[in-house]
Amino acid sequence: MTQVFFNGDWVAPEQAKVSVFDRGFLFGDGVYEVIPAFNKKLFGAADHLTRLARSLAEIDIINPLTDAQWHAVLDRLVAECDSDDVSIYIQVSRGTPPKRDHAYPNPPVAPTVLASASPIAPVSPAIREQGARAITVPDWRWQRCDIKSVNLLPNIMARQQAVAAGAMEAILVREGIALEGAASNLFAVIDGELITAPLGPHILGGVTRNRLVAMVRTQGQLPMLECPIPFDRLFDASEVFMTSSTRDLLPITRINEHAVGSGLPGEIWATLNHDFQQLKLQRDRV
Ligand code: PDD
């Protein structure tokens, strides 16, 4: 298996060992990123590294690598992975101080740094043709969902409920607002307008989301609104789709027991998905 980058060294995954006193293990005190590459080319890496730097800054961990050093790590992981479409996982935790204490160690200790690669599993043709089902669940997360923290217990519980219900994603609903998925952002077409939740502490600022919003605004053909989607309005949507780095634009054609629009992926999704794929092909290294 491809080597992983672990605390500055390249080692086999089974040699990358974390202390039982690591704060990532004890407290979930760390942040992460998932960066895709398609046809062996990174997509959105600069934006992901910017978000990583922001997540680290928000919790006072010094970024262990410069952007140039991160890029060198990413390039090697993509080159060595035995798949053309690659998902790179980065995790940085606050490291391993000698004693368990909730407060940040003072002076700080070296963070624990991992970067690894795995193949991106393609979304099945059946899902692309017929769309996926999502369920709605209460959002049990905290008030800083903009930080890409490794504390994912509410997200994994939501996703597990989706899996148990035979659905692909869970839509998180807080105080009557449909915010985003357990691991994706949410878009709905309501009365001909494309709507997604505004950036803020209740969602993760998805790189795919931000790129799509920018693309739609540049095209200028579809009204693009960043505003809250009330839970009941979700069921008035003619189209719904969810975005993430590893799944692009995933059409949602059933929510709970209701069909969305015609019950098949819509035309707006098809056009935007096509244009987004073009964007992926056009890029140089970004
Ligand atoms: N998740 N919202 C949440 C809560 C997420 O976890 C993710 C991504 C997104 C989409 O962000 P992006 O477009 O930058 O991938 C939105 C990753 C893929 C994960 O946890 O595996």
Side-chain angles (χ1 to χ4, degrees):
M1 200 195 166
T2 324
Q3 290 193 318
V4 301
F5 177 80
F6 183 63
N7 293 340
D9 295 321
W10 289 91
V11 296
E14 59 275 13
Q15 286 173 334
K17 298 230 164 63
V18 181
S19 162
V20 291
F21 297 115
D22 186 87
R23 290 179 62 100
F25 177 67
L26 290 180
F27 296 120
D29 183 2
V31 298
Y32 77 106
E33 268 304 323
V34 176
I35 308 178
F38 300 101
N39 284 323
K40 291 282 187 200
K41 276 193 176 173
L42 289 161
F43 184 57
D47 292 348
H48 284 278
L49 291 178
T50 301
R51 187 171 64 189
L52 175 68
R54 180 181 180 277
S55 293
L56 288 167
E58 289 296 320
I59 65 165
D60 293 322
I61 295 180
I62 292 171
N63 197 335
L65 269 64
T66 63
D67 273 4
Q69 288 170 324
W70 278 122
H71 269 292
V73 169
L74 300 180
D75 285 345
R76 177 162 168 181
L77 284 167
V78 172
E80 290 184 1
C81 184
D82 52 13
S83 166
D84 289 344
D85 296 343
V86 186
S87 170
I88 292 172
Y89 180 78
I90 293 178
Q91 179 172 323
V92 181
S93 82
R94 202 180 303 278
T96 308
K99 167 171 167 289
R100 181 181 180 276
D101 181 347
H102 286 61
Y104 301 169
N106 187 14
V109 295
T112 304
V113 185
L114 167 71
S116 63
S118 58
I120 294 182
V123 175
S124 74
I127 294 287
R128 294 243 176 248
E129 278 157 31
Q130 288 158 32
R133 181 168 162 247
I135 59 165
T136 56
V137 299
D139 188 353
W140 288 333
R141 297 175 303 165
W142 65 332
Q143 305 286 346
R144 290 302 309 273
C145 303
D146 54 311
I147 298 173
K148 205 161 167 57
S149 150
V150 294
N151 278 274
L152 288 174
L153 201 48
N155 305 60
I156 63 177
M157 288 168 78
R159 184 63 157 268
Q160 187 54 34
Q161 284 184 71
V163 169
M168 268 192 87
E169 184 53 304
I171 297 172
L172 308 177
V173 181
R174 190 191 292 234
E175 292 173 1
I177 304 296
L179 285 163
E180 64 173 337
S184 56
N185 290 111
L186 174 69
F187 286 77
V189 180
I190 303 175
D191 296 335
E193 294 176 323
L194 184 60
I195 311 179
T196 194
L199 296 177
H202 289 161
I203 68 162
L204 180 76
V207 170
T208 322
R209 171 208 181 277
N210 296 346
R211 247 166 211 263
L212 187 67
V213 168
M215 187 188 88
V216 173
R217 293 230 159 99
T218 306
Q219 291 177 335
Q221 281 165 5
L222 184 65
M224 175 76 248
L225 265 65
E226 290 174 85
C227 70
I229 305 173
F231 172 69
D232 2 324
R233 292 289 279 152
L234 200 53
F235 298 94
D236 298 332
S238 54
E239 299 187 28
V240 170
F241 56 87
M242 309 195 72
T243 62
S244 72
S245 295
T246 47
R247 285 186 176 160
D248 291 342
L249 281 60
L250 179 73
I252 302 296
T253 48
R254 282 191 88 70
I255 298 178
N256 299 336
E257 299 315 323
H258 305 272
V260 177
S262 66
L264 285 173
E267 278 175 24
I268 291 177
W269 168 80
T271 306
L272 294 179
N273 187 48
H274 170 267
D275 296 349
F276 197 78
Q277 300 311 318
Q278 294 300 112
L279 198 72
K280 275 162 59 171
L281 294 174
Q282 277 163 18
R283 79 212 184 270
D284 296 323
R285 181 164 118 168
V286 285

